[in-house]
């Protein structure tokens, strides 16, 4: 029975004679209140009749941004066109436009347009880094038509966010950040900005998808079908309460115009970046000091994990994690009390953690979990230090197994492959083209440093790891493979 029918049934029941009139009145009031609440809930989920009130409310806080950049005049000889050629006038006009002062004339000015929004009454403004990147002058135009120069407070190229500041005589209208994590696919949103230099413009749509990643390490984009074009960059994406839940950053388009696939960096990422830019003029992200990869199903099986999850540590250079005892082959299951779903989630969580904070990190190692206490460093000042390993020893000749031909590292191979003096492991000298190893991109020249999460320096070591895995009932063996110094784990079937 639906809720509406339940209310009607209760109303009919209350219409009968009651032995307690006061109780009947209270039941009637309760039924009416329930019906009203249901009606309001339906109306809240329905499409708004108009966006005009919301647009009026937020427009004064949205700004147009014009940047000016000095571009050096082109030097050197131009194209040689025979005198009297029909192209002579064309190339003369082209050169005059590109170099108004002649070949050795003064530099010219280049302008670019974008959008932004005010986040405080004292004049802090958020936009995209690519809007102001390289600019010599930044001019802010407000909805009222007033213009003010802006200074750059700080930028974060990783999230494409920049923070500006203007000095105004009066308090400026501003907007606040909302909680982007509560936005759901299908929720209404509204974008505002300066598309294609046409001035203040509003577009509306819905959240098309959440948690999109484009190319950045810290990406957390909201995808929307609200029209976003060039010039909208840096403008706000609002929820229906007038809160900023994203910064319009990119579009997916074959023709440069909106086709209904736009991306806004989520406010929960932007808010943290802006707070650091405001306080320090730069970002200060936490740094764990590991190289990681996702745990696939076959890797999980080879390690005895019940499911594919967490972040598999492939390398531990000098840094906080190594000082705390983390090892290559550990699977990070939890960081600072938060379960780790995959590498992307771990990178974002670590980056959002304060520099210098000591956190508990739970790792899976040798069939059981261990908890490490790690004091985070700062990502921006981290150095990619290499491993400290002992010199390798000469060993017997090459052998074939698992579709691979492997050999100990000799002085000759070390020189041919450009390996460090301290490099240890087995060099892959050949790969069977029909093998699983070839399908998983293991190639001649790769170096196997671990098998079954134990170091290998000879073919006998690798064979022993294969035998151990079979004795333990494993269907596959986990290898740590390095190519040009970059490590990754590969699980190979033992069949």
């Amino acid at each position: 029975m639906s809720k509406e029918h339940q209310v009607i049934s209760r109303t009919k029941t209350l219409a009968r004679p009651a032995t307690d009139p006061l109780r009947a009145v209270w039941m009637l009031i309760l039924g009416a209140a329930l019906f009203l609440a249901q009606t309001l809930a339906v109306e809240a989920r329905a499409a708004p009749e108009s966006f005009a009130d919301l647009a009026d409310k937020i427009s004064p806080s949205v700004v147009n941004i014009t940047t000016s950049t000095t571009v050096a005049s082109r030097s050197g000889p131009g194209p040689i066109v025979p005198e009297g050629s029909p192209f002579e006038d064309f190339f003369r006009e082209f050169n005059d436009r590109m170099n108004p002062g002649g070949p050795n004339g003064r530099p010219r000015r280049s302008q670019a347009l974008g959008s932004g929004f005010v986040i405080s009454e004292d004049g802090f403004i958020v936009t995209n880094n690519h809007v102001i990147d390289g600019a010599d002058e930044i001019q802010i135009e407000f909805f009222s038509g007033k213009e003010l120069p802006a200074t750059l407070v700080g930028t974060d190229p990783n999230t494409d966010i920049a923070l500006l500041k203007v000095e105004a005589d009066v308090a400026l209208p501003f907007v606040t950040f909302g909680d982007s994590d509560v936005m759901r696919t299908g929720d209404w949103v509204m974008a505002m900005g300066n598309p294609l230099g046409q001035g203040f413009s509003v577009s509306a749509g819905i959240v098309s998808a959440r948690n999109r990643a484009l190319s950045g390490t810290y990406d957390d984009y909201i995808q929307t079908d609200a029209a976003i074009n060039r010039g909208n960059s840096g403008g706000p994406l609002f929820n229906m309460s007038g809160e900023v839940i994203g910064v319009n950053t990119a579009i997916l388009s074959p023709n440069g115009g909106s086709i209904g696939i736009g991306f806004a960096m989520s406010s929960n990422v932007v808010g943290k970046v802006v707070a650091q830019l405001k306080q320090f003029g730069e970002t200060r992200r936490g740094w764990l000091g590991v190289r990681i990869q996702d745990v696939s199903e076959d890797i999980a099986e080879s390690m005895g994990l019940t499911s594919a999850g967490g972040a598999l540590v492939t390398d531990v250079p000098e840094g906080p994690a190594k000082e705390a005892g983390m090892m290559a082959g550990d699977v990070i299951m939890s960081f600072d009390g938060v379960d780790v779903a995959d590498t992307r989630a771990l990178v974002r969580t670590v980056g959002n953690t304060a520099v210098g904070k000591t956190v508990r990190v739970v790792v899976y190692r040798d069939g059981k979990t261990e908890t490490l206490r790690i004091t985070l460093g700062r990502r921006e000042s981290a150095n990619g230090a290499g491993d400290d390993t002992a010199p390798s020893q000469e060993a017997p000749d090459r052998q074939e197994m698992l579709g691979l031909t492997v050999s100990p590292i000799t002085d000759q191979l070390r020189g041919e492959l450009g390996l460090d003096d301290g490099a240890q492991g087995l060099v892959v000298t050949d790969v069977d083209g029909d093998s699983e190893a070839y399908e998983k991109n293991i190639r001649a020249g790769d170096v196997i440093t671990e098998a079954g999460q134990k170091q290998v320096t000879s073919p006998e070591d690798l064979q022993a790891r294969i035998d151990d895995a079979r004795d333990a009932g494993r269907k596959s063996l986990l290898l740590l493979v390095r190519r040009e110094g970059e490590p990754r784990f590969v699980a190979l079937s033992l069949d």
Side-chain angles (χ1 to χ4, degrees):
M1 181 180 294
S2 68
K3 293 182 178 179
E4 289 79 7
H5 287 161
Q6 291 174 13
V7 173
I8 293 172
S9 298
R10 289 173 183 169
T11 304
K12 289 181 178 178
T13 302
L14 292 173
R16 298 172 185 170
T19 56
D20 186 349
L22 182 60
R23 182 172 182 273
V25 171
W26 277 111
M27 292 296 289
L28 182 61
I29 294 174
L30 179 62
L34 180 60
F35 179 78
L36 179 61
Q38 292 170 339
T39 302
L40 291 175
V42 171
E43 291 178 352
R45 291 192 296 269
E49 182 178 343
S50 172
F51 293 92
D53 290 341
L54 180 59
D56 287 342
K57 173 184 175 183
I58 62 178
S59 292
S61 63
V62 182
V63 299
N64 291 343
I65 299 177
T66 303
T67 64
S68 298
T69 306
T70 301
V71 180
S73 241
R74 177 180 169 182
S75 60
I80 299 174
V81 181
E83 187 175 353
S85 167
F87 295 103
E88 185 177 8
D89 291 340
F90 169 79
F91 278 107
R92 183 183 298 111
E93 292 176 3
F94 176 79
N95 285 329
D96 289 344
R97 287 198 306 270
M98 296 301 293
N99 299 289
N104 300 312
R106 63 181 181 274
R108 59 188 177 88
R109 304 288 290 173
S110 174
Q111 288 190 329
L113 302 174
S115 307
F117 55 97
V118 184
I119 61 168
S120 65
E121 65 178 15
D122 57 346
F124 282 99
I125 296 173
V126 174
T127 186
N128 279 146
N129 176 59
H130 75 259
V131 169
I132 54 83
D133 189 28
D136 300 321
E137 297 178 3
I138 305 172
Q139 195 75 9
I140 305 299
E141 180 190 0
F142 294 87
F143 188 75
S144 63
K146 183 177 182 179
E147 294 187 2
L148 290 173
T151 57
L152 180 62
V153 177
T155 66
D156 178 33
N158 287 316
T159 55
D160 198 10
I161 294 298
L163 183 64
L164 310 176
K165 182 72 165 60
V166 296
E167 300 298 334
D169 298 332
V170 297
L172 298 175
F174 64 94
V175 289
T176 58
F177 289 112
D179 186 357
S180 56
D181 287 345
V182 304
M183 298 301 293
R184 300 177 302 164
T185 300
D187 281 345
W188 283 101
V189 290
M190 189 170 79
M192 191 169 186
N194 180 24
L196 303 174
Q198 295 303 302
F200 291 92
S201 179
V202 172
S203 60
I206 62 170
V207 174
S208 303
R210 287 284 320 279
N211 301 314
R212 291 298 201 201
L214 299 182
S215 60
T217 304
Y218 304 100
D219 284 1
D220 183 14
Y221 284 103
I222 295 173
Q223 181 185 328
T224 179
D225 64 350
I228 297 175
N229 289 283
R230 293 176 181 175
N232 274 114
S233 291
L237 186 69
F238 292 101
N239 61 20
M240 293 298 97
S241 298
E243 298 171 323
V244 178
I245 49 87
V247 177
N248 302 322
T249 302
I251 60 174
L252 182 62
S253 172
N255 55 20
S258 173
I259 60 171
I261 305 178
F263 301 94
M265 182 63 75
S266 65
S267 60
N268 284 1
V269 172
V270 177
K272 293 182 177 67
V273 170
V274 167
Q276 291 189 348
L277 294 179
K278 195 173 182 179
Q279 182 178 0
F280 307 113
E282 60 185 359
T283 55
R284 298 185 178 183
R285 292 187 171 93
W287 177 55
L288 188 59
V290 291
R291 294 189 178 96
I292 52 179
Q293 72 178 65
D294 287 331
V295 178
S296 62
E297 292 290 347
D298 53 356
I299 288 178
E301 193 282 330
S302 68
M303 299 182 70
L305 290 166
T306 56
S307 61
L312 177 57
V313 178
T314 61
D315 194 16
V316 189
E318 292 294 337
K322 187 169 186 177
E323 293 173 3
M326 189 169 288
M327 302 167 59
D330 287 349
V331 178
I332 301 175
M333 310 297 292
S334 171
F335 177 89
D336 199 20
V338 178
D339 290 341
V340 175
D342 51 28
T343 56
R344 181 167 165 248
L346 177 62
V347 170
R348 285 176 50 198
T349 303
V350 174
N352 288 332
T353 306
V355 175
K357 181 179 181 181
T358 300
V359 298
R360 293 180 180 273
V361 181
V362 178
V363 300
Y364 178 86
R365 180 188 298 171
D366 296 331
K368 59 182 183 296
T369 59
E370 296 186 21
T371 300
L372 307 176
R373 292 176 59 86
I374 303 177
T375 301
L376 299 184
R378 184 184 170 196
R379 183 68 185 88
E380 290 81 359
S381 59
N383 294 318
D387 294 328
D388 294 324
T389 52
S392 60
Q393 298 177 351
E394 297 296 328
D397 293 335
R398 62 191 64 185
Q399 295 185 24
E400 296 180 11
M401 56 192 79
L402 301 178
L404 303 170
T405 301
V406 295
S407 169
I409 297 178
T410 63
D411 290 339
Q412 180 180 352
L413 288 174
R414 195 186 305 278
E416 291 175 357
L417 300 176
L419 300 177
D420 294 338
D421 291 339
Q424 288 186 310
L426 292 172
V427 174
V428 177
T429 58
D430 193 18
V431 185
D432 186 342
D434 295 327
S435 68
E436 180 188 16
Y438 189 88
E439 292 178 0
K440 293 188 174 180
N441 198 32
I442 297 180
R443 297 292 184 267
D446 290 349
V447 178
I448 301 172
T449 58
E450 291 184 10
Q453 297 184 277
K454 294 183 180 179
Q455 191 177 41
V456 290
T457 58
S458 67
E460 288 76 15
D461 289 342
L462 179 56
Q463 185 60 56
R465 301 293 86 76
I466 294 173
D467 295 340
D468 291 343
R470 284 178 172 148
D471 292 342
R474 298 267 188 262
K475 296 180 181 179
S476 55
L477 178 67
L478 191 66
L479 304 180
L480 178 56
V481 181
R482 293 179 182 271
R483 180 179 299 170
E484 296 181 353
E486 292 298 320
R488 66 186 178 100
F489 280 99
V490 179
L492 295 183
S493 172
L494 295 176
D495 294 338

